[in-house]
Amino acid sequence: MGDTGRHQQCPQCPPTGADQMPRLALYALIVCVLAVAAAVVSFMEGSWLGVVWVLLAGLSSNMCWYYVKRAKQQKSVTG
């Protein structure tokens, strides 16, 4: 019915042994990369608005680490 947020491998896919990155962590990582790119462009143009982009990059990187750490902790608890 709905997406539960858990990754289910397809039956045809062989196990890789590598853990999948949680979806929210991936989104936060994408936002972080885009914010860094926006900060670079903003500073290159001489705008101080880049400071806001740097702060957003810091926030999103912390969110990424949080979601990765939380997923690892939940995986160790559930086995």
Side-chain angles (χ1 to χ4, degrees):
M1 291 258 300
D3 185 16
T4 60
R6 294 186 177 163
H7 176 71
Q8 298 176 358
Q9 286 186 337
C10 62
Q12 301 89 345
C13 299
T16 60
D19 294 333
Q20 294 288 328
M21 182 179 273
R23 185 177 298 158
L24 288 175
L26 183 62
Y27 292 157
L29 181 63
I30 291 169
V31 168
C32 181
V33 169
L34 291 175
V36 168
V40 168
V41 169
S42 187
F43 282 131
M44 292 288 287
E45 292 180 352
S47 173
W48 285 95
L49 188 62
V51 173
V52 175
W53 291 114
V54 169
L55 293 174
L56 181 63
L59 175 68
S60 61
S61 70
N62 286 341
M63 289 174 60
C64 180
W65 281 115
Y66 170 77
Y67 287 124
V68 168
K69 193 165 77 169
R70 187 177 80 168
K72 284 182 182 179
Q73 184 182 28
Q74 285 178 348
K75 186 173 226 175
S76 68
V77 170
T78 58

